[in-house]
Amino acid sequence: MAEQAVANIGVVGLAVMGSNLARNLASREGNTVAVYNRSNSKIHALLEEHPEAGFVASETIEDFVASLQKPRTAIIMVKAGAGTDAVINQLAEHFEEGDIIVDGGNALFTDTIRRERELRDRGLNFVGAGISGGEEGALKGPSIMPGGSAQAYETLGPILASIAAVAEGEPCVTHVGTDGAGHFVKMIHNGIEYADMQLIAEAYDLLRRVGGHEPAAIADVFEAWNGGDLESYLIEITAEVLRQVDAKTGKPLVDVIVDEAGSKGTGVWTVQNALALGVPVGGIAEAVFARAVSSKPEQRKAVRATIESRPEIASVGEGFEDDVRAALYASKVVAYAQGFDAIIAGAKEYDWDIDKGAIAKIWRGGCIIRAQFLNRIVEAYEHNATITSLLEDPYFAKAVADGEAAWRRIVVTAAQSGIPVPGFAAALSYYDSLASERLPAALIQGQRDFFGAHTYRRIDGAGTFHILWSGDRTEIEADDTH
Ligand code: NBP
């Protein structure tokens, strides 16, 4: 066990993510990796299974700290929440000015903001780093979204770059911004992931129920789509899942899986925070809600029992598959546009200087939403970093316009057939909202003025107005304190 300061990086927390990240670090030239875990059995197991990694192991936090060269840099990979706070406190007790504590877990970004402030006051650097890619990513190359100070990134950046995934020759890591910026962007990444998965699931449902195809045939469709502009990890694994046959029954696996989707909460965080920031992320919210609806089997059964007949499935022609593909692509553009809107709003609220193009770049490899499509987002922000929405970019504007007719046909077909497409429909409504010259928000303002004297502005001049609704219904100029 370790006594001397020989390691340039340490990992605390050796469950699946931490041990894989430690192995990834150890496999890169120039790294000597210190490891520690609360239950020592995990340390021994890791050392036994991977002697080649040359880990510097410690059975106490004191020895772990002593094994690190200065500035000491330790990555924490423990369960988010109380476990993370416990480990931070242990490290902070022994760390000295300039040392760096990295939280690579799935922390809520507001916790990261708090932790960074507390540790900064003690002269320590704290980096909240979102890490995406699951256990395989941690081992072979994740997408890494670190926040924190620029000073900490000077030491940490090259180490993270050495273990990150590589896309188009560039490591999938960038200094996202100060304090909680990295965990905020990771949260949005997960929100977009929810939306993307929901849209793919809706496409599958339509191909199955309207198109009449079996899962294996739909796998072929997804495989073909993966060769085009939808090329992505999620489309690729969808084909794999649909092709899988259940060994026990001989049925497609997808037909024996209970149709109740679980979640770990990052989608909910995305929607809660977007609501607080006033950013419409309907595609992500519908994806979170769709999982919630699926997870209420008793309610679904009770309502189903009251329904006597369901609509007939609409009959469709040869172009149906292409229509579904176009609807999927257009809805996906909307989901990403909404996700980037949330990043812009978060950056404004929390005073982060976030380079949107750089975020799209680091999502091109290692993470769950990795896709060809992200290159188009990189190009959009390279072309004009000040666009108010991705839908304003010429490429995306044309992509959506090209698919628009098909998108509408698909939403109509789904509605006629009684097939839920909350993702496709919400995305289309959002697009139509942005595309409409006048919105019925004017009526809402009238209603608000009626019951709450909330006032309104006029289209033909400055000022704020109110109708004397319970009086003679004349308009008066109001002050804007209402
Ligand atoms: P878990 O989230 O299952 O956490 C287990 C680890 O936390 C063990 O090392 C455990 O130590 C340690 N721990 C706990 Br629990 N409470 C502790 C405490 N009070 N003090 C010290 N250590 C404590 O591990 P994981 O699945 O490897 O994930 C690690 C982090 O990475 C999490 O934040 C997770 O959200 C995030 N993440 C996971 C994935 C994924 O695909 N799994 C992907 C991306 C990010 P013990 O051995 O002594 O109990």
Side-chain angles (χ1 to χ4, degrees), residues 238-359:
T238 300
E240 302 260 349
V241 173
L242 289 173
R243 223 181 274 296
Q244 183 73 17
V245 173
D246 176 45
K248 205 165 146 193
T249 60
K251 291 181 180 170
L253 178 72
V254 72
D255 286 349
V256 299
I257 296 178
V258 173
D259 59 342
E260 296 168 30
S263 69
K264 281 193 172 168
T266 45
V268 172
W269 286 353
T270 306
V271 178
Q272 283 173 330
N273 282 285
L275 284 174
L277 291 166
V279 190
V281 292
I284 300 170
E286 289 298 344
V288 173
F289 295 153
R291 290 195 193 188
V293 171
S294 79
S295 307
K296 301 201 181 317
E298 276 153 33
Q299 192 182 46
R300 287 167 58 189
K301 195 172 164 201
V303 173
R304 222 168 38 241
T306 70
I307 297 170
E308 277 172 14
S309 72
R310 297 282 294 139
E312 257 179 49
I313 297 292
S315 58
V316 290
E318 257 194 11
F320 180 66
E321 259 171 49
D322 283 341
D323 276 5
V324 175
R325 196 202 58 77
L328 177 56
Y329 194 67
S331 303
K332 182 175 163 131
V333 171
V334 166
Y336 280 71
Q338 293 178 342
F340 275 86
D341 273 4
I343 291 177
I344 292 167
K348 192 162 175 232
E349 175 72 17
Y350 297 99
D351 205 15
W352 297 316
D353 184 15
I354 298 182
D355 176 343
K356 278 102 55 195
I359 301 303

Side-chain angles (χ1 to χ4, degrees), residues 13-18 37-39 42 77-80 83 86-87 105-106 131 134-135:
L14 302 176
V16 56
M17 287 294 286
N37 190 75
R38 179 181 61 176
S39 316
K42 282 203 179 71
M77 289 303 287
V78 303
K79 202 175 175 71
V87 175
N106 262 340
I131 299 184
E135 41 186 297

